[in-house]
Amino acid sequence: MLLAQLLQYEHKQTEVEFWNWKGEMSKHAYTIISHHGMQTDLSSLQQAVIKWQAFSKHHQVQQLDYSYLLGLLRNIEDQWDPAACTRELEENLAESFTLFTEYCLLLLKKLRENFPVLNTTVISRLEFMLRCLSQIQGMTAFKMVCPFHNELHLEIAAVLKKGTLEWYEKMYTSYKPEEKNDVQQLRSLVKLSDAVHEDIEKSQNVYNKHFVNIVKVDYFSITYRQLEKLVADEVIITMENLKGSEHEETHITHAIGETLFELYITLNELRHFRDYLPLKDNKSLALTGFHELFKVSIHTWLQTVHEKACERIYRAIEADKLEYVDSLSKHSSSAVDVTVCFSQIRDFWAHLSWPDSVEAFAFLTQLSDDMCKAAIYYSEVIKRKVDKSQQSAGQTVVTEQLCIILNNIEHVRKFMGNVLKDLDWKSLETAVEHTSGTDGKQQVQKTLSTQLQNIDIDMQREVKNMISHLTEKMIGDIKKYIQHISLSPDSIQNDEAVSPLMKYLDDKLIILSETLVKENLYRVLEALWWLLLKCIIDAVDSNRGVSVEFYGRFYYTLEALVDFFHAEGQGLPLDTLRNGDYRFLEEELRLNKCSTTELIEKYYLDNIKEQRSAEHSKYGRLSVKCYYETSEQKLYVEVLHAADLIALDANGLSDPFVIIELCPHHIFPMVKGQRTQVKAKTLHPVYDELFHFSVSSEQCRRKSACIVFTVMDHDWLSTNDFAGEAVLPMNVIYGLNRPHITGGVKNVQPTVLKLTRPKANVKSILKMLDGRIDKEAQDFVKKLRELEKFMEDD
């Protein structure tokens, strides 16, 4: 009694917080207690017990440091001597143990109020309080004075369950809505579920380790299983009521849909805590399969996500000033907003975490499709924005805006490829493989691959459309400068004629290179290159029969443009520039700028090349001998025989003869062609006829100089038919570029020539020479026309 009185007084005098007091007493109080103990002849054990009784009882009135109480208990254990215990001492000690334990259990019943997790000091008090309870249960004195005590962990578990139920009922009452409509009921359930989720999170992160380590009570498992069951029961009742209100999928309001989603997310996160349960407790939980209750709502959620995304995209475009977001970026604010929106959709799917893999696959496919549609929607709407503004803005401003939009679409295209991959397809693959086997996994992989490919194709198409939109603005100017080149007089220099076009392109390239990202710059340059080629081709086609200088000027233009767009390796690759249209145009310009004699020589050079590359011929073969006798300045040609000629008469045979000409004729102007005799009714004629031509070695050594052997079928009543021809270049004839042979042509080895019918070459040269008016061109065109007729008959 004396100690109790002193404790009340001394505790009030302390300068530290009440709950932090460790029984420190003044000198006077200590002296009184010491003298009293000596006068009453108290043993050390008696003093330890009395001290524990007084402090443990005082603790129920005024908080003090549990670590100090733990020290008092350990002191009793150290001093404990059963022989020195009187019955009164045992009864008093038993009563103090019981009162202390019951009081602590009352505190644990209201654990959340008495020991809030945000206060670390209070959590430390909880830890030492549990240590006191554990110390009592393990003391020899306790087992002696309280032989019929209950197991501590069972008592704690029971009181925790009661406290959890009381806490839940209190939360339920506090969140109960005043209005009993569906939306309010759902929102109150969301708040209740959130509170339960928060409480379980605290139990798992803070409380559980102390209860498990000190008193061997799995606080988390106890509270989780209890609260999970209470929430699940409430959710089932609420969802049944909602279903009873005839809220079908098509009639779910926006407010109900949003609230259902919040509820689903909370329950899903709540369900994930089961992973922390012991394996034996991880089965038959109330929230298992809870997602089935929300299956009817998920389509509404996905539709809402898509609609919200499109609304946000539209608002982002409306607010976009089509200016760079910063000095390091070449896209505008709407591109950033769109990618953030898609990131949030990705987060939405991660939070959804639909448990059924087969259903999740269908939902994810729909979500991905909707994201792709939203990306296309963005491209279309932002293009319309610049179309509206171009009437009031200047051309330079419009060009810069189009470039920024092009960068925006490219930015979104790249991001889409990454965000679709981030939608957790891998875990879905694993889950589907587990339920549906390898075929299911392959289907998931194929779907992802198809969607990635489709969105890339669609976005690339949008990029191409935007590039076409950009280059269309330049068509008028480009045609004007091409026409300037076309109408320039032959007297001015080529670079002077081309200068306005190159200046215009240079100015445009400065704008494009400053505003476009690298990928888009290359795409625009490719489109611009194609446009220039088309304009030049159109200009050339509309100016047939003009001067050679005209074609030379455009040939110069074409090569200047190649250099400009290649930019010494910094621009487009040469392979890209020298594409099919370029090769067609380059050949036409190169040939048209040639003189008539140059074109004719090219024709024979091409024939020589074709003759060398011929591997077999359906028109037959011709055997000849050729030799140039320098001393006589004569070319000897001996036609030996032909074989496997084509039948050109109705009887299945021919009447062949061979015409021998030295070509081109402008190299051999004084030399006339010669011919063999006609061999009647045969496809394998034998001639053995020798011809000679008086020509100089200089003439024969010209690069295009050749002997043309034309096999004809003789018709008595109509025009002779063309059977085939062979070309022998003179640079392979002995006596010219090859050494002389004793005995002349008689000792030369025969040469076998394959007969051919040159087709493409005839049409190409005809096109070049047809519009020319000089006699040489007209004579050669006449000859080629006859050959072309035979080609058509063939």
Side-chain angles (χ1 to χ4, degrees):
M1 291 175 61
L2 177 61
L3 183 55
Q5 291 296 322
L6 289 173
L7 289 182
Q8 292 180 18
Y9 176 80
E10 291 292 328
H11 200 166
K12 291 178 181 178
Q13 306 306 313
T14 183
E15 295 180 357
V16 299
E17 294 86 348
F18 283 179
W19 43 264
N20 207 25
W21 187 55
K22 296 184 179 181
E24 297 92 342
M25 301 176 69
S26 64
K27 294 181 181 180
H28 301 297
Y30 181 76
T31 302
I32 293 171
I33 290 297
S34 299
H35 287 179
H36 186 69
M38 293 174 61
Q39 289 173 359
T40 52
D41 196 21
L42 295 176
S43 65
S44 298
L45 176 59
Q46 288 174 317
Q47 291 188 45
V49 170
I50 291 171
K51 206 170 184 180
W52 158 254
Q53 283 180 282
F55 274 95
S56 63
K57 190 173 183 180
H58 177 72
H59 133 269
Q60 298 180 32
V61 179
Q62 186 68 55
Q63 296 179 1
L64 51 82
D65 195 328
Y66 280 104
S67 64
Y68 180 70
L69 293 176
L70 181 60
L72 295 179
L73 288 170
R74 289 172 176 169
N75 189 34
I76 293 175
E77 185 71 2
D78 293 339
Q79 301 292 335
W80 184 251
D81 181 5
C85 288
T86 63
R87 183 175 182 82
E88 181 183 7
L89 184 66
E90 291 181 4
E91 290 175 354
N92 290 338
L93 189 57
E95 182 185 11
S96 68
F97 284 155
T98 302
L99 290 175
F100 180 80
T101 302
E102 289 176 351
Y103 181 75
C104 289
L105 291 176
L106 287 175
L107 293 178
L108 291 178
K109 189 177 180 182
K110 296 185 179 296
L111 175 72
R112 298 161 181 84
E113 297 177 18
N114 295 324
F115 302 98
V117 296
L118 297 179
N119 191 327
T120 55
T121 304
V122 171
I123 295 302
S124 177
R125 283 174 48 77
L126 171 65
E127 177 187 354
F128 278 99
M129 186 186 80
L130 293 176
R131 291 188 183 280
C132 289
L133 291 174
S134 177
Q135 178 70 27
I136 291 173
Q137 288 284 312
M139 291 171 63
T140 307
F142 175 74
K143 295 174 183 177
M144 178 177 173
V145 301
C146 300
F148 305 108
H149 66 277
N150 294 326
E151 293 292 332
L152 179 63
H153 69 277
L154 295 177
E155 288 190 286
I156 292 178
V159 78
L160 288 176
K161 288 180 181 179
K162 289 180 183 178
T164 299
L165 179 58
E166 289 180 5
W167 174 84
Y168 178 82
E169 290 173 346
K170 181 181 178 182
M171 291 294 105
Y172 178 83
T173 303
S174 67
Y175 291 128
K176 192 173 182 179
E178 296 179 2
E179 300 178 18
K180 291 192 175 182
N181 60 60
D182 293 333
V183 175
Q184 292 300 327
Q185 292 280 1
L186 283 172
R187 285 177 178 167
S188 67
L189 183 54
V190 170
K191 292 177 181 177
L192 179 63
S193 302
D194 284 339
V196 169
H197 176 273
E198 183 181 357
D199 186 75
I200 290 176
E201 192 172 34
K202 292 175 182 177
S203 72
Q204 197 267 330
N205 293 334
V206 180
Y207 293 133
N208 193 59
K209 58 185 177 182
H210 297 301
F211 280 92
V212 170
N213 295 334
I214 300 171
V215 291
K216 311 304 179 195
V217 173
D218 191 346
Y219 177 83
F220 169 74
S221 296
I222 292 171
T223 55
Y224 178 76
R225 291 183 67 85
Q226 186 178 9
L227 290 174
E228 187 253 7
K229 177 69 167 61
L230 291 169
V231 169
D233 291 344
E234 190 62 32
V235 168
I236 291 172
I237 293 171
T238 304
M239 295 300 286
E240 287 296 328
N241 293 338
L242 187 65
K243 185 177 180 181
S245 302
E246 298 183 353
H247 279 286
E248 298 179 2
E249 180 184 350
T250 54
H251 297 100
I252 292 178
T253 64
H254 175 73
I256 290 178
E258 258 193 5
T259 312
L260 282 173
F261 179 71
E262 291 179 36
L263 178 60
Y264 171 86
I265 293 299
T266 302
L267 294 177
N268 202 20
E269 292 177 353
L270 198 60
R271 183 179 65 90
H272 286 158
F273 278 110
R274 67 180 181 177
D275 297 337
Y276 299 101
L277 290 173
L279 190 60
K280 62 183 179 61
D281 293 338
N282 201 359
K283 300 175 182 177
S284 303
L285 291 171
L287 284 177
T288 301
F290 82 97
H291 63 281
E292 295 291 338
L293 299 170
F294 297 87
K295 190 184 296 184
V296 72
S297 307
I298 191 167
H299 294 292
T300 304
W301 298 343
L302 294 177
Q303 182 180 352
T304 302
V305 167
H306 180 61
E307 291 173 355
K308 290 273 189 182
C310 290
E311 290 173 8
R312 183 168 175 181
I313 287 171
Y314 184 81
R315 291 197 303 270
I317 293 173
E318 287 293 304
D320 195 346
K321 296 180 180 178
L322 296 180
E323 298 172 352
Y324 301 145
V325 291
D326 54 53
S327 59
L328 300 177
S329 304
K330 291 189 176 183
H331 52 263
S332 62
S333 61
S334 62
V336 178
D337 290 338
V338 170
T339 54
V340 170
C341 179
F342 288 154
S343 296
Q344 292 173 343
I345 295 176
R346 176 192 59 202
D347 297 340
F348 156 80
W349 177 252
H351 283 110
L352 189 65
S353 186
W354 194 259
D356 188 297
S357 59
V358 176
E359 294 171 350
F361 174 56
F363 298 150
L364 182 54
T365 302
Q366 180 183 340
L367 184 69
S368 301
D369 286 339
D370 288 343
M371 291 176 69
C372 297
K373 291 176 184 175
I376 300 300
Y377 173 75
Y378 170 73
S379 303
E380 294 171 348
V381 175
I382 198 167
K383 179 177 175 293
R384 290 200 295 268
K385 178 183 177 75
V386 78
D387 287 342
K388 290 179 182 178
S389 66
Q390 69 181 5
Q391 297 176 353
S392 57
Q395 185 174 358
T396 302
V397 174
V398 172
T399 300
E400 291 177 352
Q401 289 180 343
L402 287 173
C403 290
I404 292 174
I405 291 175
L406 196 55
N407 293 337
N408 288 354
I409 297 174
E410 176 65 12
H411 182 72
V412 172
R413 183 189 74 83
K414 285 183 176 179
F415 186 83
M416 282 295 296
N418 294 324
V419 79
L420 287 177
K421 292 177 183 177
D422 291 342
L423 287 174
D424 202 20
W425 289 86
K426 286 296 181 183
S427 61
L428 186 60
E429 281 179 25
T430 305
V432 170
E433 184 179 22
H434 182 71
T435 56
S436 306
T438 307
D439 292 342
K441 179 181 179 180
Q442 291 176 348
Q443 185 180 0
V444 174
Q445 292 173 339
K446 183 179 179 182
T447 301
L448 173 60
S449 176
T450 302
Q451 287 194 324
L452 289 173
Q453 185 177 1
N454 288 343
I455 184 59
D456 194 65
I457 291 173
D458 290 342
M459 294 301 287
Q460 291 276 17
R461 184 184 65 247
E462 293 300 317
V463 168
K464 288 181 180 178
N465 291 340
M466 186 57 63
I467 290 174
S468 298
H469 200 59
L470 179 62
T471 54
E472 281 173 8
K473 312 259 180 219
M474 304 167 67
I475 289 178
D477 291 332
I478 289 175
K479 285 185 176 180
K480 178 180 70 177
Y481 292 116
I482 294 295
Q483 187 178 23
H484 172 79
I485 297 172
S486 178
L487 298 178
S488 295
D490 297 341
S491 58
I492 71 169
Q493 297 293 322
N494 288 334
D495 57 349
E496 186 179 347
V498 176
S499 177
L501 173 62
M502 303 307 291
K503 175 69 169 58
Y504 170 79
L505 292 175
D506 194 49
D507 292 342
K508 284 295 179 184
L509 185 60
I510 291 173
I511 298 174
L512 294 175
S513 60
E514 288 178 351
T515 53
L516 289 173
V517 296
K518 189 174 182 180
E519 297 89 339
N520 283 334
L521 178 61
Y522 286 160
R523 294 187 184 116
V524 172
L525 289 178
E526 286 182 15
L528 196 55
W529 175 246
W530 178 86
L531 177 61
L532 283 163
L533 290 179
K534 184 177 182 301
C535 289
I536 295 174
I537 290 172
D538 291 344
V540 171
D541 286 342
S542 60
N543 288 277
R544 292 295 174 188
V546 293
S547 66
V548 171
E549 287 77 13
F550 172 88
Y551 294 104
R553 192 158 56 247
F554 271 110
Y555 188 83
Y556 176 88
T557 302
L558 184 63
E559 293 308 305
L561 289 173
V562 169
D563 292 340
F564 177 82
F565 279 87
H566 182 56
E568 297 180 347
Q570 300 299 312
L572 296 178
L574 289 176
D575 291 343
T576 301
L577 293 169
R578 292 170 177 164
N579 55 18
D581 288 337
Y582 166 84
R583 290 195 296 272
F584 166 79
L585 179 60
E586 189 274 340
E587 181 183 26
E588 183 169 0
L589 292 174
R590 178 166 43 81
L591 294 177
N592 273 308
K593 76 184 184 72
C594 295
S595 65
T596 299
T597 56
E598 288 174 331
L599 284 175
I600 293 173
E601 287 184 17
K602 182 184 183 305
Y603 170 80
Y604 285 109
L605 288 171
D606 288 345
N607 277 4
I608 292 170
K609 184 177 179 180
E610 185 177 345
Q611 181 78 53
R612 287 171 176 167
S613 62
E615 295 181 359
H616 58 275
S617 174
K618 65 178 182 180
Y619 304 108
R621 301 176 303 281
L622 181 67
S623 296
V624 298
K625 289 183 179 182
C626 298
Y627 183 76
Y628 184 80
E629 185 60 62
T630 306
S631 60
E632 300 176 10
Q633 287 202 330
K634 286 184 179 180
L635 174 65
Y636 290 90
V637 178
E638 185 176 2
V639 180
L640 301 175
H641 55 82
D644 300 324
L645 301 179
I646 59 173
L648 294 173
D649 291 340
N651 59 8
L653 298 171
S654 290
D655 304 316
F657 66 95
V658 181
I659 300 173
I660 305 98
E661 296 176 285
L662 304 189
C663 295
H665 292 307
H666 62 264
I667 295 178
F668 305 98
M670 307 303 295
V671 180
K672 293 184 178 181
Q674 303 185 52
R675 53 185 287 179
T676 66
Q677 296 179 357
V678 176
K679 301 296 179 178
K681 300 178 181 179
T682 180
L683 300 180
H684 308 282
V686 177
Y687 298 104
D688 290 330
E689 296 183 41
L690 180 64
F691 305 90
H692 68 269
F693 299 88
S694 297
V695 289
S696 67
S697 60
E698 288 76 13
Q699 290 174 292
C700 295
R701 286 192 173 94
R702 292 278 292 272
K703 184 178 180 180
S704 59
C706 59
I707 307 172
V708 178
F709 300 91
T710 306
V711 180
M712 304 292 291
D713 171 47
H714 184 266
D715 283 335
W716 300 99
L717 301 177
S718 63
T719 307
N720 297 331
D721 295 326
F722 176 70
E725 72 174 23
V727 182
L728 180 67
M730 289 192 183
N731 58 12
V732 301
I733 295 176
Y734 285 97
L736 289 169
N737 292 337
R738 289 189 173 187
H740 292 275
I741 296 177
T742 305
V745 68
K746 294 180 180 179
N747 294 330
V748 173
Q749 291 294 320
T751 300
V752 179
L753 303 173
K754 297 179 180 66
L755 298 177
T756 62
R757 287 188 173 187
K759 296 181 180 180
N761 196 26
V762 170
K763 293 182 179 180
S764 175
I765 297 298
L766 263 177
K767 185 179 179 181
M768 303 301 141
L769 294 176
D770 199 21
R772 301 194 179 187
I773 58 176
D774 58 285
K775 185 177 184 304
E776 186 177 14
Q778 291 298 312
D779 291 345
F780 199 74
V781 166
K782 182 179 179 182
K783 176 183 176 180
L784 293 185
R785 289 284 184 205
E786 294 177 359
L787 275 179
E788 189 178 35
K789 180 178 179 300
F790 290 121
M791 302 302 110
E792 292 171 357
D793 294 342
D794 185 39

